[in-house]
Amino acid sequence: MRYALISDIHSNLTALKVVIDSLKDDEIDAYICCGDIVGYGPWPNECVQVIRNLQETSSLFVVVGNHDWAALELEDITKFNEDAREAVIWTKSQLSEENKEYIKELPYLVKEDKFTIVHGSPRDPLDEYVLGVSIFKSNLKYFENNLCFIGHTHVPLYFFSGGEVDVGGGPIVDDVTITLDDSMRYMVNIGSVGQPRDNDPRACFGIFDDEKKEVMIKRLPYNIKKVQDKMKEYNLPVFLIERLQMGV
Ligand code: ZN
């Protein structure tokens, strides 16, 4: 099976469409989405609709993110910074009841035979940021299989455990293919489609091929200005508009 990997779309329909279109010729059998479909960007309903369409037309494994949860008022937004809070309140005012219902039903964690998916971490699915090997290591006992896909930091990274070095990992820059060893365990942060924060503003996504045992992380440019113009129309916070072109 070939799985498309997407996460942290953040209501950025322009980036999401570029990614989904590019996957059309890629013989994708199923989609994996690690949450944060909404928050920050200008098209919350449209992005939820794309995800719902994927669920209807192909196989989809999806979990909820902290911004999705926040838009339903189920997450404490006092811990969000001011810009994020403003965007959450705006997102909530825009989301249709039907889309809110859809988000409300999303699970925190999905465990399949070959992978686990969560937004933050297996230990704390909504909120924990897996920033380094020590946090990865302490999360190993919270998932069972050899591969866990995460999002949340908006920075593509991978961690591994087993073999001679015990634990290791690091950032994923540009297009990279990770070959999985059956005797090791992995956690792969698949980066962000709609608001990358690794100084590379291009949309980030991936493909997992369970027969070749490969995870590929890819980058694609999209029309950032189009998104920024739409955000200006809705008076969304200036920093959220500017950060898109910087990839921060
Ligand atoms: Zn996010």
Side-chain angles (χ1 to χ4, degrees), residues 64-105:
V64 70
N66 59 323
H67 282 257
D68 304 319
W69 219 225
L72 305 182
E73 282 183 296
L74 294 168
E75 174 92 349
D76 173 16
I77 62 167
T78 56
K79 61 190 174 192
F80 281 40
N81 68 45
E82 207 181 315
D83 288 341
R85 210 160 48 228
E86 206 178 315
V88 160
I89 292 165
W90 180 85
T91 300
K92 186 182 153 247
S93 74
Q94 299 292 309
L95 274 176
S96 69
E97 284 309 313
E98 206 185 330
N99 284 336
K100 282 183 186 166
E101 275 308 308
Y102 175 77
I103 291 172
K104 212 172 171 179
E105 299 301 320

Side-chain angles (χ1 to χ4, degrees), residues 8 10 35-36 38 40 66-67 119 152-154 192 195 197:
D8 296 271
H10 285 295
D36 274 5
V38 301
Y40 296 129
N66 59 323
H67 282 257
H119 180 62
H152 196 36
T153 66
H154 300 204
S192 169
Q195 196 203 73
R197 294 180 191 162

Side-chain angles (χ1 to χ4, degrees), residues 97-240:
E97 284 309 313
E98 206 185 330
N99 284 336
K100 282 183 186 166
E101 275 308 308
Y102 175 77
I103 291 172
K104 212 172 171 179
E105 299 301 320
L106 295 177
Y108 289 114
L109 181 146
V110 171
K111 184 190 171 292
E112 287 290 302
D113 283 349
K114 290 176 179 161
F115 56 84
T116 295
I117 69 171
V118 286
H119 180 62
S121 76
R123 175 168 61 185
D124 183 357
L126 278 187
D127 291 319
E128 187 172 37
Y129 292 93
V130 184
L131 299 165
V133 286
S134 65
I135 303 175
F136 161 66
K137 198 172 177 180
S138 48
N139 265 283
L140 280 166
K141 59 176 178 283
Y142 294 89
F143 68 103
E144 286 163 30
N145 33 30
N146 285 353
L147 180 59
C148 179
F149 293 112
I150 61 169
H152 196 36
T153 66
H154 300 204
V155 174
L157 290 167
Y158 80 110
F159 302 102
F160 55 86
S161 163
E164 287 168 11
V165 287
D166 184 24
V167 285
I172 299 170
V173 181
D174 290 322
D175 291 12
V176 164
T177 298
I178 303 158
T179 304
L180 307 173
D181 179 331
D182 278 341
S183 66
M184 314 241 306
R185 300 183 73 203
Y186 299 88
M187 188 179 278
V188 181
N189 188 318
I190 57 183
S192 169
V193 170
Q195 196 203 73
R197 294 180 191 162
D198 59 342
N199 301 308
D200 181 346
R202 294 175 299 166
C204 188
F205 64 106
I207 295 171
F208 166 46
D209 188 318
D210 66 356
E211 275 146 41
K212 288 189 188 160
K213 300 190 196 320
E214 283 176 352
V215 177
M216 288 150 273
I217 297 294
K218 294 166 174 268
R219 304 305 283 252
L220 274 179
Y222 69 95
N223 188 343
I224 292 173
K225 186 166 181 304
K226 189 176 168 186
V227 187
Q228 292 176 314
D229 288 346
K230 198 72 185 169
M231 290 173 80
K232 281 178 199 156
E233 254 178 57
Y234 292 125
N235 286 318
L236 286 162
V238 173
F239 174 64
L240 298 184

Side-chain angles (χ1 to χ4, degrees), residues 52-66:
R52 292 174 63 182
N53 290 349
L54 288 178
Q55 193 139 34
E56 279 157 27
T57 56
S58 68
S59 182
L60 172 74
F61 304 94
V62 54
V63 290
V64 70
N66 59 323

